Amino acid sequence: MCPKAKHLAAPAKEPGQGAGLWAEDTVRGEGLEHYAMSRSKEWYTPARYLQLIRALMGGIDLDPASCSVAQRTVQATRYFTADDNGLAHPWPGRVFLNPPYGRGVGGLSNQGCWSHRLIEQYEQGITTQAVLLVTAATSEKWFQPLWAYPVCFTDHRIAFVDAHGHKVRGNTKGAAFVYMGNEKERFAELFSAVGTPVFAAGLWAKQRVAVG
C-alpha cells in the first residue's frame, strides 16, 4: 500500500522514464522529501504511441506526471509537473500516464504507487478512460492488479526521444500499455500495430464458462 499522496514526491528517486527521465536531485521542503526533475536527462514518449492513444480515447484531458516539453507531443488539455505533485490531485476525464520509475519515499515502487492511484481514480469514476505506460514487469507485485484490464505488450523496446526529438539509447526493458475504459476491442485493434494485446480477465472468464 502506498503512503498518502501528500507524502509522495512526483518524480522518481532513481532514473526512469515518466514524462521524461527523472534523476536523484534531492531537495527538502516543509519536512517532506521531494525529488526534482533533471532537465538534462529526460526521455519522452514518441509521437507514434500518443497518436494511437488519442485515436483510442479521442483526446487526452490530463497527463498527471509530465512537463512542458513532454506536452509538445502529449498535447493534454491539462497536466501536472513534478512541482504540482500529481498524486495530490484528482484525475478527471481521459488520462494518459507514463509514471516516474524507480523508488520513491519508503523505497516503494513509483510505478506501483502511480498505477494504484490510476486504478483508484478509474474505479471511482473520476477517470473515464486511461492509458498507462509502464515497464512490462509482470513478476512484480505492483503489476498484478493491472491484469484486470486489457494490456498490450510491445514487440520491441520503445525508442524514447529527447527534448529535441532525437532517439535516445539506454532503454533495456519491454513496455506494457494498459487500457482502462469501455473500448477494449478498439484498444486491441489499434495497439496490435505495436505489440500483442491480451485481456487476461476476459480470457479467464471465457475459460470458466467453457469449463462450467
Side-chain angles (χ1 to χ4, degrees), residues 16-18 45 53 65 91 96-102 109-119 131-138 140 142-147 150-154 156-158 160 171 173-180 191:
Q17 281 132 315
T45 307
I53 292 166
W91 297 355
F96 166 63
L97 173 62
N98 185 359
Y101 291 7
S109 165
N110 276 318
Q111 291 189 90
C113 287
W114 287 76
S115 299
H116 174 82
R117 173 68 169 172
L118 181 59
I119 292 172
V131 174
L132 168 69
L133 173 56
V134 290
T135 301
T138 58
E140 295 295 328
W142 63 262
F143 194 95
Q144 304 316 304
L146 299 178
W147 287 115
V151 181
C152 176
F153 294 98
T154 58
H156 56 278
R157 294 174 183 172
I158 294 179
F160 290 90
N171 181 24
K173 301 180 182 299
F177 288 92
V178 183
Y179 174 64
M180 300 176 192
F191 280 79

Side-chain angles (χ1 to χ4, degrees), residues 49-171:
Y49 308 98
L50 289 161
Q51 289 169 357
L52 293 175
I53 292 166
R54 282 192 292 271
L56 172 64
M57 301 196 297
I60 300 171
D61 297 314
L62 178 67
D63 181 349
S66 194
C67 65
S68 60
V69 175
Q71 288 308 306
R72 297 173 188 169
T73 307
V74 177
Q75 300 172 9
T77 302
R78 187 183 181 198
Y79 66 94
F80 297 132
T81 67
D83 292 334
D84 296 323
N85 187 4
L87 288 168
H89 303 278
W91 297 355
R94 299 163 298 181
V95 172
F96 166 63
L97 173 62
N98 185 359
Y101 291 7
R103 300 282 171 178
V105 175
L108 296 171
S109 165
N110 276 318
Q111 291 189 90
C113 287
W114 287 76
S115 299
H116 174 82
R117 173 68 169 172
L118 181 59
I119 292 172
E120 185 179 69
Q121 293 286 289
Y122 176 69
E123 295 298 338
Q124 290 177 1
I126 298 171
T127 296
T128 55
Q129 285 191 85
V131 174
L132 168 69
L133 173 56
V134 290
T135 301
T138 58
S139 64
E140 295 295 328
K141 185 175 181 180
W142 63 262
F143 194 95
Q144 304 316 304
L146 299 178
W147 287 115
Y149 308 95
V151 181
C152 176
F153 294 98
T154 58
D155 54 15
H156 56 278
R157 294 174 183 172
I158 294 179
F160 290 90
V161 297
D162 62 20
H164 303 289
H166 301 142
K167 293 181 180 180
V168 295
R169 298 179 180 179
N171 181 24

